[in-house]
Amino acid sequence: MKPAGVQSSVLLFNKPFGVLCQFTDAEGRATLADYIDAPGFYAAGRLDRDSEGLLLLTNDGTLQQRISHPRFKLTKRYLVQVDGEIDDAALQSLRRGVQLKDGPAKATKVRRVDEPEHLWERDPPIRVRRNIPTSWLEISLREGRNRQVRRMTAAVNFPTLRLIRTHIGPHEVWPLASGECRFARNGSPT
């Protein structure tokens, strides 16, 4: 909860590859503290260490729950680079839903997209295999189970190489560069 009289705020952060969604790490790995100096702000949801893109932080516990809890069904959109030329059958399977070990998972929206021109470089870059092409997808979900997008693309035999969250509800990562943050114009997630 935020202290009385303090306005709720949302901080948008473009999380780089390899950064943990926490402020401390006993193993000395990169954390939010390496990029953000905002006492009282905490991540609303998570992104895996090997994923990039939009992370929201807030100083309001109630707002943090509304952003991160699946009950509120806040849409999250991802750009996904997969190994291979994804086919229509795989796209249809993702739309219909795939069975994961922890139950069925279904994207609310899936479409093939061109490689984004305005995308920042990843450090380190993904592995490149000259004889195997890659393709890009845009996937939207209303839930966020552990490594869900990666497990979904693997279930249709197109492993994820790069995963970038671009949107959470009305908030988007653009035009933030990797490692940049700024306050949202409107603190409300819906």
Side-chain angles (χ1 to χ4, degrees):
M1 277 304 211
K2 67 183 183 320
V6 175
Q7 184 175 359
S8 295
S9 295
V10 173
L11 187 64
L12 286 68
F13 176 55
N14 186 350
K15 187 189 92 60
F17 178 87
V19 174
L20 295 172
C21 287
Q22 56 199 45
F23 283 93
T24 60
D25 181 59
E27 297 176 35
R29 296 173 292 186
T31 68
L32 298 176
D34 296 313
Y35 296 88
I36 300 169
D37 182 17
F41 278 76
Y42 300 95
R46 303 186 75 73
L47 265 179
D48 296 326
R49 184 173 175 225
D50 55 354
S51 298
E52 310 163 66
L54 186 60
L55 180 69
L56 301 182
L57 295 93
T58 183
N59 62 344
D60 181 337
T62 303
L63 185 57
Q64 181 182 26
Q65 169 134 3
R66 287 198 57 185
I67 294 168
S68 59
H69 200 281
R71 173 182 49 190
F72 295 104
K73 303 218 182 280
L74 203 57
T75 299
K76 296 167 183 77
R77 191 180 327 160
Y78 302 85
L79 273 175
V80 187
Q81 185 179 19
V82 296
D83 207 4
E85 283 285 341
I86 197 154
D87 55 35
D88 290 337
L91 293 171
Q92 191 57 32
S93 291
L94 291 169
R95 288 182 193 111
R96 274 194 318 267
V98 294
Q99 187 63 38
L100 303 177
K101 287 182 181 179
D102 57 350
K106 179 177 156 181
T108 58
K109 199 173 185 183
V110 179
R111 66 185 184 114
R112 190 181 298 115
V113 295
D114 293 331
E115 181 174 348
E117 293 179 19
H118 54 278
L119 198 56
W120 55 87
E121 295 292 322
R122 193 184 94 167
D123 183 23
I126 65 155
R127 64 175 165 73
V128 176
R129 298 187 300 185
R130 290 185 354 184
N131 296 332
I132 299 178
T134 66
S135 46
W136 286 87
L137 310 173
E138 186 179 82
I139 297 178
S140 296
L141 302 173
R142 290 197 179 210
E143 58 182 0
R145 287 185 265 163
N146 186 41
R147 301 183 70 80
Q148 183 174 347
V149 172
R150 292 177 189 282
R151 293 186 297 138
M152 288 174 70
T153 65
V156 295
N157 298 313
F158 290 91
T160 294
L161 299 172
R162 189 172 183 191
L163 180 63
I164 303 158
R165 184 162 55 199
T166 61
H167 293 77
I168 300 173
H171 302 292
E172 62 180 281
V173 74
W174 322 115
L176 294 173
S178 183
E180 282 188 337
C181 63
R182 70 170 167 81
F183 283 98
R185 290 189 185 108
N186 177 359
S188 174
T190 54

